[in-house]
């Protein structure tokens, strides 16, 4: 099962936050030996270790990031587990289809439903947005 890590440092108190994030993420290598990903842009630092099961392609790399028209981070989502009903939820999302990973639907669901999105998810998972 994958592993997710992250923190928010709005007052920039963490010295070398990218190095801290990298150490946190790599401490979970045993949970996700297939891949690793991270995104950082103060104040958010998010990382993921991947165990590829549903989607083994590079498109399933996490965290999933959506940017606004200026290229600024807008939605970052990462998850651990499996979303059983991702196919039906994907079909209901407006716009271009996200990648084939079950968890790739999370940013679109958040954009559409906000906090209510958790009510529509079926599976065994943990996620952060």
């Amino acid at each position: 099962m994958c592993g997710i890590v992250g923190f928010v440092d709005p007052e920039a108190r963490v010295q070398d936050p990218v190095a801290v994030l990298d150490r946190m993420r790599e401490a979970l290598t045993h949970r996700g030996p297939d891949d690793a990903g991270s995104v950082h842009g103060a104040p958010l630092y998010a990382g993921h270790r991947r165990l590829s099961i549903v989607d083994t392609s590079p498109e399933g790399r996490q965290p999933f990031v959506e940017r606004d028209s200026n290229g600024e981070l807008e939605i970052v989502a990462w998850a651990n587990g499996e979303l059983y009903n991702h196919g039906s939820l994907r079909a209901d999302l407006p716009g271009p289809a996200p990648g084939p990973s079950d968890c790739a639907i999370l940013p679109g669901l958040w954009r559409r439903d906000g906090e209510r999105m958790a009510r529509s998810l079926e599976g065994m998972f943990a996620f952060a947005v």
Side-chain angles (χ1 to χ4, degrees), residues 6-7 12 18 23 28 31 33 35 43 52 62-63 82 100 105-107 113 115 122:
F7 61 94
V18 174
R23 285 194 307 273
L28 296 178
R31 293 195 56 150
D35 196 7
S52 302
Q62 294 189 41
E82 184 177 352
I105 63 171
L106 292 174
D113 301 335
E115 293 175 9
E122 295 174 9

Side-chain angles (χ1 to χ4, degrees), residues 32-120:
D34 297 331
D35 196 7
S38 63
V39 63
H40 43 83
L44 173 68
Y45 300 87
H48 181 263
R49 287 298 315 192
R50 182 175 178 202
L51 177 63
S52 302
I53 296 174
V54 172
D55 173 21
T56 59
S57 78
E59 292 177 335
R61 177 173 247 196
Q62 294 189 41
F64 298 107
V65 176
E66 286 192 10
R67 298 184 182 274
D68 66 14
S69 59
N70 296 320
E72 296 293 318
L73 290 177
E74 188 169 30
I75 300 174
V76 177
W78 62 112
N80 171 27
E82 184 177 352
L83 301 176
Y84 302 145
N85 62 333
H86 67 95
S88 61
L89 293 172
R90 179 186 314 275
D92 291 339
L93 287 176
S101 170
D102 55 335
C103 296
I105 63 171
L106 292 174
L109 287 175
W110 180 262
R111 181 180 307 286
R112 187 186 73 189
D113 301 335
E115 293 175 9
R116 295 182 320 258
M117 80 174 213
R119 295 181 188 140
S120 64

